[in-house]
Amino acid sequence: MRIRTINAIALVLVAPVNSVLASQQSDAKGFVEDSKAVVNIRNMYMNRDFRQSNAPQSYGEEWGQGFIGTFQSGFTQGTVGFGADVIGQFGMKLDTGDGRTGGGTGLLERDKDGAKDEYSKLGGALKVRFSNSVLKYGNQFMSLPILSTSDARLLPESATGLSVTSNEIKDLTLSTGHFTGLNNRNDSKPDSAKLTSLDYVGGVYKFNDQFSSSLFYQKVDEYWRKYYGNLNYNLPLSNAQALNVDFNIYDTHSVGEERAGELDNRIWSLAVAYTFGAHRFMIGRQEVSGKGDYTYGIDGLSTVYVANSVQYTDFNYQDEKSWQARYDLNFASYGIPGLTFMTRYVKGYGFDTAATNDGHAWERDIDTKYVVQEGTAKNLSFRLRNATYRSSDRGGKIDEVRLIIEYPLSIF
């Protein structure tokens, strides 16, 4: 696979020969002139109440203060531009302990004595741009359907390796990469997830303003290989109405030592959303078939681009089928810009456990967020998330609350 990845990188870099777009590198302003630095100040509280007598821990609760600093340089001028990115993260414990640490909250780094008072992470990457293609090597945040680092806790995950992104052909984005490290959200060790070696290649093509598709291949040594596909169609019905159809599918097959167990499965989802003014209604259908659960995490804790991956669970157990009904409301139409509300209900059934092949589960989520629109506190946000999950077959009974306050501070 490494030879394939090297060949894919070469193809991406040769793509400028057939370029139909103006070169981004020709507009480079300079390393310093085009640089920017942002510190995202994040305060996060989270608790999980395990409402069953046989749970290893009855209650988890953590509260922390985080700082996520990113520096992105511009590119030097010339035919080939050079630059650098830096990621600095710092997390601080505000409250936990007395048996409340852990329990799936995962906000704070732990040692043998419990949650640490503080922890920090530092990474950087060098980057090179030629025409409309960027090669980057080092520590990176990733948001691809086959390598996606999670930002759902106090500090985000990050991955270490080589990535190439090319936009040489109009409406086509090609991506390839080779990664050898993955840093967990609440762990300061550079490769705390113990990634073996991950290679990927794929792309996204935009047919027109309404229709796009993507296709990716990924392999994680000694774990699995995956294919991913997506079709997305957005149909404007009027100035205030739109219909969106989104289809996602993964095909996974274990390879090598099969460290995640024997896998040979597919998971797909189809979501249809109707927007009418301030209101959005969505229904989703998702199914797993084949051997094993849809498995992810060693390739990033957000590498699960399916409709019914929600706050607590993903409805991704072996043979599981699930339905979702969701409602979103944007209060801007009612004179409160920046305030949004979401609620959804997901029902899963037919999944396999050691005791049954007809497991059942459900989850209900409520999410409210407000973003300050102007003034000195512009972009300050307050978000309250609640999840309720129930299953007597697998996953247990969980009540969860998350409160997140964020303020992105632009340094320059």
Side-chain angles (χ1 to χ4, degrees), residues 91-109:
M92 179 171 58
K93 178 179 71 176
L94 297 180
D95 183 56
T96 189
D98 301 323
R100 295 173 292 146
T101 302
T105 51
L107 263 63
L108 305 170
E109 186 173 29

mmCIF file of all heavy atoms in Angstrom, residues 91-109:
data_model
loop_
_atom_site.group_PDB
_atom_site.id
_atom_site.type_symbol
_atom_site.label_atom_id
_atom_site.label_comp_id
_atom_site.label_asym_id
_atom_site.label_seq_id
_atom_site.Cartn_x
_atom_site.Cartn_y
_atom_site.Cartn_z
ATOM 1 N N GLY A 91 -4.635 21.985 28.606
ATOM 2 C CA GLY A 91 -5.856 21.667 29.329
ATOM 3 C C GLY A 91 -5.629 21.732 30.829
ATOM 4 O O GLY A 91 -4.580 21.311 31.325
ATOM 5 N N MET A 92 -6.620 22.232 31.554
ATOM 6 C CA MET A 92 -6.485 22.421 32.996
ATOM 7 C C MET A 92 -7.734 21.883 33.706
ATOM 8 O O MET A 92 -8.869 22.154 33.292
ATOM 9 C CB MET A 92 -6.305 23.908 33.292
ATOM 10 C CG MET A 92 -6.169 24.265 34.757
ATOM 11 S SD MET A 92 -5.712 26.014 34.957
ATOM 12 C CE MET A 92 -7.075 26.827 34.097
ATOM 13 N N LYS A 93 -7.517 21.118 34.755
ATOM 14 C CA LYS A 93 -8.624 20.571 35.539
ATOM 15 C C LYS A 93 -9.257 21.663 36.401
ATOM 16 O O LYS A 93 -8.562 22.384 37.106
ATOM 17 C CB LYS A 93 -8.124 19.440 36.432
ATOM 18 C CG LYS A 93 -9.205 18.825 37.325
ATOM 19 C CD LYS A 93 -8.656 17.686 38.177
ATOM 20 C CE LYS A 93 -7.729 18.176 39.263
ATOM 21 N NZ LYS A 93 -7.257 17.089 40.149
ATOM 22 N N LEU A 94 -10.569 21.761 36.341
ATOM 23 C CA LEU A 94 -11.304 22.659 37.216
ATOM 24 C C LEU A 94 -12.034 21.902 38.317
ATOM 25 O O LEU A 94 -12.097 22.363 39.453
ATOM 26 C CB LEU A 94 -12.296 23.501 36.419
ATOM 27 C CG LEU A 94 -11.682 24.450 35.384
ATOM 28 C CD1 LEU A 94 -12.781 25.221 34.662
ATOM 29 C CD2 LEU A 94 -10.685 25.405 36.018
ATOM 30 N N ASP A 95 -12.567 20.721 37.966
ATOM 31 C CA ASP A 95 -13.250 19.931 38.990
ATOM 32 C C ASP A 95 -13.444 18.506 38.510
ATOM 33 O O ASP A 95 -13.793 18.266 37.349
ATOM 34 C CB ASP A 95 -14.614 20.522 39.336
ATOM 35 C CG ASP A 95 -15.303 19.742 40.446
ATOM 36 O OD1 ASP A 95 -14.698 19.593 41.519
ATOM 37 O OD2 ASP A 95 -16.437 19.274 40.229
ATOM 38 N N THR A 96 -13.189 17.536 39.395
ATOM 39 C CA THR A 96 -13.508 16.117 39.227
ATOM 40 C C THR A 96 -13.037 15.431 40.501
ATOM 41 O O THR A 96 -12.796 16.079 41.523
ATOM 42 C CB THR A 96 -12.856 15.496 37.976
ATOM 43 O OG1 THR A 96 -13.381 14.176 37.774
ATOM 44 C CG2 THR A 96 -11.344 15.419 38.104
ATOM 45 N N GLY A 97 -12.831 14.097 40.460
ATOM 46 C CA GLY A 97 -12.359 13.376 41.632
ATOM 47 C C GLY A 97 -13.487 12.728 42.395
ATOM 48 O O GLY A 97 -14.648 12.719 41.965
ATOM 49 N N ASP A 98 -13.142 12.129 43.548
ATOM 50 C CA ASP A 98 -14.120 11.440 44.397
ATOM 51 C C ASP A 98 -14.892 10.379 43.628
ATOM 52 O O ASP A 98 -16.107 10.247 43.746
ATOM 53 C CB ASP A 98 -15.111 12.442 45.021
ATOM 54 C CG ASP A 98 -14.418 13.492 45.873
ATOM 55 O OD1 ASP A 98 -13.435 13.131 46.549
ATOM 56 O OD2 ASP A 98 -14.847 14.661 45.842
ATOM 57 N N GLY A 99 -14.161 9.636 42.767
ATOM 58 C CA GLY A 99 -14.788 8.581 41.988
ATOM 59 C C GLY A 99 -15.496 9.041 40.735
ATOM 60 O O GLY A 99 -16.117 8.239 40.039
ATOM 61 N N ARG A 100 -15.417 10.323 40.428
ATOM 62 C CA ARG A 100 -16.124 10.863 39.260
ATOM 63 C C ARG A 100 -15.255 10.930 38.011
ATOM 64 O O ARG A 100 -15.754 11.160 36.912
ATOM 65 C CB ARG A 100 -16.653 12.261 39.564
ATOM 66 C CG ARG A 100 -17.721 12.310 40.658
ATOM 67 C CD ARG A 100 -18.061 13.746 40.998
ATOM 68 N NE ARG A 100 -16.943 14.417 41.654
ATOM 69 C CZ ARG A 100 -16.655 15.704 41.506
ATOM 70 N NH1 ARG A 100 -17.381 16.459 40.690
ATOM 71 N NH2 ARG A 100 -15.635 16.242 42.142
ATOM 72 N N THR A 101 -13.926 10.761 38.151
ATOM 73 C CA THR A 101 -13.029 10.871 37.009
ATOM 74 C C THR A 101 -13.263 9.732 36.032
ATOM 75 O O THR A 101 -13.433 8.579 36.437
ATOM 76 C CB THR A 101 -11.560 10.842 37.478
ATOM 77 O OG1 THR A 101 -11.362 11.912 38.390
ATOM 78 C CG2 THR A 101 -10.612 10.979 36.306
ATOM 79 N N GLY A 102 -13.235 10.034 34.749
ATOM 80 C CA GLY A 102 -13.410 9.004 33.725
ATOM 81 C C GLY A 102 -14.875 8.725 33.478
ATOM 82 O O GLY A 102 -15.689 9.631 33.349
ATOM 83 N N GLY A 103 -15.203 7.445 33.383
ATOM 84 C CA GLY A 103 -16.588 7.087 33.107
ATOM 85 C C GLY A 103 -17.023 7.464 31.709
ATOM 86 O O GLY A 103 -18.205 7.699 31.455
ATOM 87 N N GLY A 104 -16.049 7.542 30.791
ATOM 88 C CA GLY A 104 -16.381 7.871 29.404
ATOM 89 C C GLY A 104 -16.411 9.345 29.096
ATOM 90 O O GLY A 104 -16.647 9.732 27.960
ATOM 91 N N THR A 105 -16.179 10.201 30.111
ATOM 92 C CA THR A 105 -16.200 11.637 29.835
ATOM 93 C C THR A 105 -15.002 12.039 28.988
ATOM 94 O O THR A 105 -15.136 12.759 28.010
ATOM 95 C CB THR A 105 -16.223 12.444 31.144
ATOM 96 O OG1 THR A 105 -15.180 11.975 31.999
ATOM 97 C CG2 THR A 105 -17.551 12.273 31.857
ATOM 98 N N GLY A 106 -13.806 11.607 29.365
ATOM 99 C CA GLY A 106 -12.632 11.781 28.508
ATOM 100 C C GLY A 106 -12.186 13.211 28.310
ATOM 101 O O GLY A 106 -11.606 13.536 27.282
ATOM 102 N N LEU A 107 -12.433 14.091 29.275
ATOM 103 C CA LEU A 107 -11.995 15.484 29.139
ATOM 104 C C LEU A 107 -10.546 15.664 29.577
ATOM 105 O O LEU A 107 -9.811 16.448 28.974
ATOM 106 C CB LEU A 107 -12.881 16.412 29.976
ATOM 107 C CG LEU A 107 -14.024 17.131 29.260
ATOM 108 C CD1 LEU A 107 -15.028 16.137 28.725
ATOM 109 C CD2 LEU A 107 -14.685 18.123 30.192
ATOM 110 N N LEU A 108 -10.139 14.964 30.630
ATOM 111 C CA LEU A 108 -8.864 15.232 31.276
ATOM 112 C C LEU A 108 -7.917 14.045 31.153
ATOM 113 O O LEU A 108 -8.348 12.885 31.168
ATOM 114 C CB LEU A 108 -9.078 15.560 32.755
ATOM 115 C CG LEU A 108 -10.058 16.700 33.043
ATOM 116 C CD1 LEU A 108 -10.365 16.769 34.534
ATOM 117 C CD2 LEU A 108 -9.514 18.036 32.545
ATOM 118 N N GLU A 109 -6.622 14.350 31.061
ATOM 119 C CA GLU A 109 -5.620 13.285 31.044
ATOM 120 C C GLU A 109 -5.503 12.683 32.442
ATOM 121 O O GLU A 109 -5.614 13.383 33.451
ATOM 122 C CB GLU A 109 -4.267 13.832 30.597
ATOM 123 C CG GLU A 109 -3.218 12.738 30.428
ATOM 124 C CD GLU A 109 -1.928 13.246 29.822
ATOM 125 O OE1 GLU A 109 -1.611 14.434 30.023
ATOM 126 O OE2 GLU A 109 -1.244 12.457 29.153
#
